[in-house]
Amino acid sequence: MGSRWMATLAGVALIMAVSLPASGADRESGKKVYAQKCQNCHGLDGKGSATAEKMLKTKIPDLTATQPSKFSKAERQRYEQRVRTVLAEGKKPMPPFGKSLSKEDQENVLEYMEKAFMNGGK
């Protein structure tokens, strides 16, 4: 009876571990960081700010145009790595945030952006 109980607990733990985000990202913290660091250019809705585009004389990417849920696992991993790289290293005119934001904050922003804007905000 004890081994069955342990096997059941192990199964439940495995299901819980698989269902949680691998990064342990905190969407609410990501939302706060996004509001402080990203929203002025990328907009409240993730579609980009026309004012910022005029000021910076560049097209700001529409974050809602990306559909990671339609990517293969490998495509999604490459996409997320590109976003992490741009977030950390910047991409003119966007400044790098690798030194001003912790890795945890960067992951939280990524999680927030994916859930709030990408895949129709789902």
Side-chain angles (χ1 to χ4, degrees):
M1 174 104 177
S3 62
R4 234 194 267 183
W5 186 76
M6 290 301 285
T8 301
L9 277 179
V12 170
L14 178 63
I15 290 168
M16 289 177 68
V18 169
S19 66
L20 293 173
S23 64
D26 177 354
R27 197 177 321 157
E28 280 304 308
S29 293
K31 182 177 182 178
K32 290 175 187 173
V33 173
Y34 179 88
Q36 295 169 344
K37 305 281 186 178
C38 313
Q39 188 171 305
N40 284 341
C41 293
H42 290 283
L44 183 61
D45 61 1
K47 293 185 178 194
S49 163
T51 303
E53 284 184 349
K54 284 181 186 178
M55 184 181 74
L56 297 170
K57 298 179 181 159
T58 191
K59 178 73 175 139
I60 296 172
D62 179 353
L63 301 175
T64 66
T66 306
Q67 300 285 318
S69 67
K70 295 181 180 178
F71 295 168
S72 70
K73 185 176 180 178
E75 289 171 328
R76 185 179 182 106
Q77 288 173 336
R78 284 192 300 273
Y79 165 76
E80 288 180 352
Q81 189 53 51
R82 278 195 316 271
V83 173
R84 285 181 182 98
T85 299
V86 169
L87 191 57
E89 298 175 7
K91 184 176 179 183
K92 289 214 179 236
M94 185 178 133
F97 291 104
K99 292 183 180 173
S100 63
L101 291 177
S102 68
K103 292 277 188 197
E104 180 180 4
D105 282 340
Q106 293 173 51
E107 289 298 314
N108 291 342
V109 168
L110 175 62
E111 173 74 10
Y112 171 70
M113 289 185 333
E114 283 191 8
K115 299 300 184 207
F117 308 127
M118 300 171 191
N119 300 313
K122 296 177 185 173

